C-alpha cells in the first residue's frame, strides 16, 4: 500500500462494522462490500464523502471527523481483507455478462471490463474500483445515481456518461453478473 497501517485501520473500523461487516463484507445489500477494494479508490471516496463532494447522509457523517491519516489507515485495512462473492440471479446473468464483457454498441455503452477488469478486480493503479462480488442492489443504486447525476464526485464523469445510456434492465442484469464475479 502507498500509505496507511492496516492494524490501526482495523481498530478505527469498529464503527464501520455494523454496516460494512467486521472484515468489509456485510449482509445488507444496500451497504457496499469494502473487502479487497483498492486503496486509491477507497481513499478517494472517503475524502469525497468528508469534503461533501459525494453526498450520502450516513457517510458524510461517518467521515466528518476522520483525518487524512485515519482515512489512509482505514483504506489500508479494507484493501487488505479478502473479498467475498455471491451468486447472481441466473435469469439475468447471461445478459449481464454480455454487457460487462462486450458493452452495447447500439447504445454506445463500452465494455465494463475495459476499466473494471475481466475478473472484476478493477484497476488499482488507476483507482478504478473492484466490482467483483459487490451486492447487486448497491450496484444498481450507484448506476442510477450516476445516470441521474446525484453521484457526481468523479471529475471525469466517466460513469455518468456510461450509466445514462444504459436501460434499467441492463443495469439490473449487469449487477447480477457482477455480484457473482
Ligand atoms: C459507502 C467506508 C461506516 C453505510 C461507503 C464507502 C466507503 C465506506 C469507502 C464507499 C464504497 C464504494 O464506493 O464502493 C466506511 C467507513 C466507515 C463506514 C470507513 C467507518 C468509519 C458506515 C456505517 C454505515 C455506512 C456505520 C451505516 C450506518 C454506508 C452506505 C454507503 C457507504 C449506505 C453507500 C453510500 C452511497 O450510496 O453513496 N462506506 N463506512 N457506512 N456506507 Fe460506509
Ligand atoms: C465506478 C459500474 C464501465 C470507470 C463504478 C461503479 C459501478 C460501475 C457500479 C461504482 C462502484 C462503487 O461504488 O463501488 C460499471 C459498469 C460498467 C462500467 C456496469 C459497464 C457498463 C466503466 C468504464 C470505465 C469505468 C468503461 C472507464 C472508462 C469507472 C471509474 C469509477 C467507476 C473511474 C469510479 C468513479 C469514482 O471515482 O467515483 N463503475 N462501470 N467504468 N467506474 Fe465503472
Amino acid at each position: 500500500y502507498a500509505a496507511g497501517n492496516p492494524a490501526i485501520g482495523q481498530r478505527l473500523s469498529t464503527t464501520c462494522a455494523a454496516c460494512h461487516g467486521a472484515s468489509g463484507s456485510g449482509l445488507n445489500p444496500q451497504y457496499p462490500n469494502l473487502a479487497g477494494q483498492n486503496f486509491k479508490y477507497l481513499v478517494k471516496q472517503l475524502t469525497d464523502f468528508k469534503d461533501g463532494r459525494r453526498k450520502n447522509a450516513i457517510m458524510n457523517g461517518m467521515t466528518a471527523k476522520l483525518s487524512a491519516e485515519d482515512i489512509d489507515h482505514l483504506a489500508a485495512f479494507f484493501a487488505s481483507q479478502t473479498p467475498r462473492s455471491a451468486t447472481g440471479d441466473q435469469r439475468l446473468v447471461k445478459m449481464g455478462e454480455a454487457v460487462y464483457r462486450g458493452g452495447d454498441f447500439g447504445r454506445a455503452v463500452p465494455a465494463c471490463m475495459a476499466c473494471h477488469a475481466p475478473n472484476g478486480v478493477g484497476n488499482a493503479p488507476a483507482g478504478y474500483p473492484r466490482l467483483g462480488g459487490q451486492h447487486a442492489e448497491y450496484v444498481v443504486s450507484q448506476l442510477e445515481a450516476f445516470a441521474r447525476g446525484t453521484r457526481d464526485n468523479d471529475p471525469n464523469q466517466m460513469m455518468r456518461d456510461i450509466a445514462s445510456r444504459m436501460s434499467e434492465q441492463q443495469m439490473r442484469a449487469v449487477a447480477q453478473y457482477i455480484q457473482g464475479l
Side-chain angles (χ1 to χ4, degrees):
Y1 308 110
N5 178 325
I8 301 174
Q10 180 162 32
R11 286 200 292 279
L12 293 170
S13 75
T14 50
T15 51
C16 321
C19 297
H20 296 287
S23 53
S25 298
L27 293 176
N28 187 325
Q30 297 173 351
Y31 303 146
N33 290 328
L34 306 177
Q37 185 54 274
N38 71 70
F39 176 83
K40 188 172 176 181
Y41 174 78
L42 288 169
V43 169
K44 177 172 186 272
Q45 299 308 311
L46 290 169
T47 308
D48 283 356
F49 281 130
K50 179 179 163 65
D51 295 344
R53 277 187 298 276
R54 181 170 170 186
K55 291 165 190 67
N56 176 265
I58 300 170
M59 285 306 303
N60 294 142
M62 291 304 304
T63 49
K65 292 199 170 70
L66 297 177
S67 67
E69 289 74 25
D70 292 340
I71 285 176
D72 282 357
H73 296 320
L74 284 161
F77 169 64
F78 286 115
S80 73
Q81 297 306 108
T82 307
R84 237 186 254 161
S85 145
T87 351
D89 182 337
Q90 293 308 305
R91 291 164 299 186
L92 290 172
V93 286
K94 262 244 153 334
M95 179 194 217
E97 179 175 17
V99 173
Y100 190 86
R101 311 194 73 83
D104 180 344
F105 185 78
R107 289 176 178 265
V109 172
C112 318
M113 72 173 189
C115 296
H116 296 284
N119 58 357
V121 296
N123 180 332
Y128 297 162
R130 154 186 281 281
L131 300 179
Q134 189 56 273
H135 297 296
E137 191 175 326
Y138 171 76
V139 169
V140 170
S141 77
Q142 299 307 300
L143 291 172
E144 289 174 345
F146 284 126
R148 288 195 198 109
T150 48
R151 177 169 170 182
D152 62 353
N153 57 305
D154 185 25
N156 299 320
Q157 303 291 355
M158 294 186 236
M159 286 308 303
R160 181 196 55 193
D161 295 341
I162 294 166
S164 62
R165 296 188 207 111
M166 294 174 76
S167 71
E168 189 63 32
Q169 198 189 20
Q170 285 176 326
M171 290 182 185
R172 295 190 181 285
V174 83
Q176 291 299 331
Y177 177 70
I178 283 168
Q179 180 169 281
L181 256 185

